[in-house]
Amino acid sequence: MEEAKSRLRRLSGFEIQWRVVNALVYRELRRRVSDVQGGFLAVLLEPVGQIAVWAALRLIIRQASSVNNLNIWLFLATGVILFNLYARVAAHGLTTMEANKALFFYRRVKPIDTVLAKAIEELGLYSLAAIIVFGLVWAYLYNLVLQNLPLLVISFVLMALLAVASSLLSLVGSYYFPNLKQVLSWINRALYLASGVIYAPMDIPQFARDFLVWNPLLQCIELARKALSIDYQIPSQVTLSYPAGFALVYLSLALWCYTNNEKVLIRR
Amino acid sequence: MIRVNSLTKSYLYKGKRKRVLDDLSFEIAGDESIAVIGANGAGKSTLLQLLGGIDVPDRGKIQCDGTISWPVGIEGGFQGSLTGRENVTFVSMIYGERHEIDDRIKFVEDFAELGIYFDRPFKTYSSGMKSRLSFGLSMAFPFDYYLIDEITAAGDQKFREKSKRLLLDRKKTSNFLMVDHNLWGLKIHCNRAFLLESGRITEYANVQDAINIHTKTLLAELPPESDVSNAA
């Protein structure tokens, strides 16, 4: 039997977190591979199914193959993929304590690590879904002009950061208010409708648009669409600085809330 | 060295707070292994969990200048749908250096002797297989302190003998904080004892002395033999 060699090294907090998040991403990806129902295919099929339904409705009802100068498939793909990324990570905070209870036997694993790992994993998988959908559009319709790749990447990252903040707040909130789960599922549905997933903000009345542009999720989705086509019209209030600033403040608040409650969360 | 100051822990039980550990303070030197003795429900496992950082105290401070294991042999940290190998890889990624991960996996694979089951989902394992894997995994990492809670009771004769030998080997380089109703095991591995009663600790320089007092107290609580046979 080969012996375990060197002594365990005491690590810095950052080193520990880096290792733990890496390991959790590995564990979750392996779990998805072995779990057919929640596997990789489900991640790809879920947004594709939604895109197909909304595209079919639009094509039948309005007979429009583009929305506000952006190909209908690209328009819906950005909305559905980005929103699903947000929703899945945000919802994770509600269930992570119960689902990962056993993991906290390893003292290096903290609740926040499971949220970060989930965000990285979903960001990777939904980015892959986006690449596949964009690739299909390009292959079949020759209609993909990637106008601003950095802006597209930033939109995805900002969406993931907003999701991490929501997830951390749900994590803490659900400890104090166990019924939060039902409330949040309604909030998520309302956000789906308020984030411009299936409509362009420029196509709705001015008074509604002026109200909805305060939603940072809508701003991220609009920026991603703008990144795909320079001809896509976005409201003047949509700027990169708004969702970036919002994400910074929101994430700081969520981290403050989490760090003040971490001990309470892991207390048995 | 482990230094504990004013450690207090309580649990909510039927709407009331029940204090399990009450203002404990003690020190464990860098070359000491401690037997934690006490009746069922005295707070032995709670104390180990607090020392391992798995639970947090209501009050008090724990300082340690070395590394402390998770409670050895705990099976809860395994993901049922993942194979033994994948579960071991996961923990090795957290506790091992990157270049040592393969060595850790090999160590556990050799110790657990699961054969092809090492690459099958954990949820398909028998309880004996789970014990072998979890004990092997705990021993794959050279911690300064191992938290050992009732491990010697698990598994078949061969596994218990293998575990005993591995523990003796680890004892050369590490220290143990041990809870075990098999008091004989405590004597082999530990050189000092803490007797836990009513949330307080009494320290004993000699493990046998603590065992004698603990056994005497337990037996004194038993009703006379004639009463037991009448009740039966």
Side-chain angles (χ1 to χ4, degrees), chain A residues 1-10 19-20 22-24 26-27 30-31 34 102-109 263 266-268, chain B residues 9 11 51-52 54-57 64 66 70 76 79 81-82 86 90 94-97 100 103-104 107 140 142-144 169-170 173:
Chain A
M1 195 187 300
E2 199 170 327
E3 266 303 326
K5 293 164 190 163
S6 57
R7 310 291 303 161
L8 280 189
R9 204 160 50 86
R10 276 175 77 86
R19 281 187 186 189
V20 171
N22 257 323
L24 285 168
Y26 162 84
R27 179 180 186 264
R30 299 304 303 181
R31 191 189 62 74
S34 62
L103 281 184
F104 303 125
F105 268 103
Y106 304 115
R107 69 183 296 171
R108 290 183 174 178
V109 182
K263 282 189 174 177
I266 57 175
R267 178 170 290 154
R268 284 159 194 267
Chain B
K9 177 72 183 175
Y11 290 109
L51 292 173
I54 296 155
D55 200 351
V56 284
C64 178
W70 57 87
Q79 169 80 37
S81 60
L82 297 189
E86 287 165 347
F90 166 71
I94 295 174
Y95 283 92
E97 299 296 327
E100 290 174 349
D103 290 347
R104 307 287 181 203
F107 175 87
F143 292 102
D144 295 312
D169 184 62
R170 283 287 176 275
T173 50

Side-chain angles (χ1 to χ4, degrees), chain A residues 1 12 28 54 106 126 129 143 151 202 233 250 260:
Chain A
M1 195 187 300
S12 69
E28 192 57 23
W54 291 121
Y106 304 115
Y126 278 105
N143 192 6
L151 184 61
M202 291 302 276
Q233 298 299 307
Y250 190 41
N260 280 297

Side-chain angles (χ1 to χ4, degrees), chain A residues 207-233:
Chain A
F207 72 92
R209 188 192 314 151
D210 288 348
F211 174 68
L212 290 176
V213 287
W214 289 99
N215 176 1
L217 306 183
L218 178 140
Q219 293 230 1
C220 283
I221 291 171
E222 284 294 276
L223 287 171
R225 287 170 179 157
K226 186 72 182 171
L228 290 175
S229 166
I230 200 161
D231 295 327
Y232 181 74
Q233 298 299 307

Side-chain angles (χ1 to χ4, degrees), chain A residues 2-258:
Chain A
E2 199 170 327
E3 266 303 326
K5 293 164 190 163
S6 57
R7 310 291 303 161
L8 280 189
R9 204 160 50 86
R10 276 175 77 86
L11 305 172
S12 69
F14 178 76
E15 271 181 298
I16 290 174
Q17 188 156 40
W18 176 254
R19 281 187 186 189
V20 171
V21 171
N22 257 323
L24 285 168
V25 171
Y26 162 84
R27 179 180 186 264
E28 192 57 23
L29 290 177
R30 299 304 303 181
R31 191 189 62 74
R32 281 193 149 168
V33 169
S34 62
D35 180 2
V36 178
Q37 284 180 330
F40 285 110
L41 211 56
V43 174
L44 298 179
L45 289 180
E46 190 188 343
V48 168
Q50 281 187 44
I51 294 163
V53 169
W54 291 121
L57 284 174
R58 264 205 179 251
L59 288 168
I60 293 164
I61 297 168
R62 301 184 68 172
Q63 303 197 327
S65 61
S66 68
V67 180
N68 205 353
N69 301 319
L70 181 63
N71 172 278
I72 177 107
W73 297 100
L74 295 177
F75 173 83
L76 286 169
T78 37
V80 168
I81 289 174
L82 274 168
F83 189 83
N84 277 12
L85 163 65
Y86 170 83
R88 283 187 73 101
V89 177
H92 184 69
L94 291 170
T95 53
T96 188
M97 285 310 292
E98 197 53 43
N100 296 304
K101 212 171 189 173
L103 281 184
F104 303 125
F105 268 103
Y106 304 115
R107 69 183 296 171
R108 290 183 174 178
V109 182
K110 302 288 182 231
I112 191 174
D113 300 328
T114 64
V115 171
L116 293 176
K118 183 75 179 171
I120 291 169
E121 176 206 343
E122 297 292 350
L123 183 61
L125 289 175
Y126 278 105
S127 299
L128 185 66
I131 289 168
I132 291 171
V133 174
F134 294 164
L136 287 172
V137 170
W138 177 77
Y140 286 100
L141 302 171
Y142 307 104
N143 192 6
L144 176 69
V145 182
L146 195 52
Q147 200 65 43
N148 191 341
L149 180 62
L151 184 61
L152 185 66
V153 173
I154 290 170
S155 308
F156 270 76
V157 172
L158 283 178
M159 203 61 144
L161 292 177
L162 290 165
V164 166
S166 292
S167 195
L168 288 174
L169 288 173
S170 324
L171 176 67
V172 176
S174 59
Y175 174 82
Y176 292 103
F177 310 103
N179 291 331
L180 194 66
K181 197 173 182 179
Q182 279 128 356
V183 179
L184 281 183
S185 84
W186 283 104
I187 291 177
N188 266 351
R189 277 176 216 177
L191 276 175
Y192 188 87
L193 295 175
S195 299
V197 176
I198 50 172
Y199 59 85
M202 291 302 276
D203 290 348
I204 61 172
Q206 175 87 36
F207 72 92
R209 188 192 314 151
D210 288 348
F211 174 68
L212 290 176
V213 287
W214 289 99
N215 176 1
L217 306 183
L218 178 140
Q219 293 230 1
C220 283
I221 291 171
E222 284 294 276
L223 287 171
R225 287 170 179 157
K226 186 72 182 171
L228 290 175
S229 166
I230 200 161
D231 295 327
Y232 181 74
Q233 298 299 307
I234 59 173
S236 58
Q237 299 98 321
V238 174
T239 58
L240 182 57
S241 55
Y242 177 74
F246 192 99
L248 185 71
V249 174
Y250 190 41
L251 199 56
S252 305
L253 173 75
L255 284 171
W256 177 81
C257 220
Y258 171 79

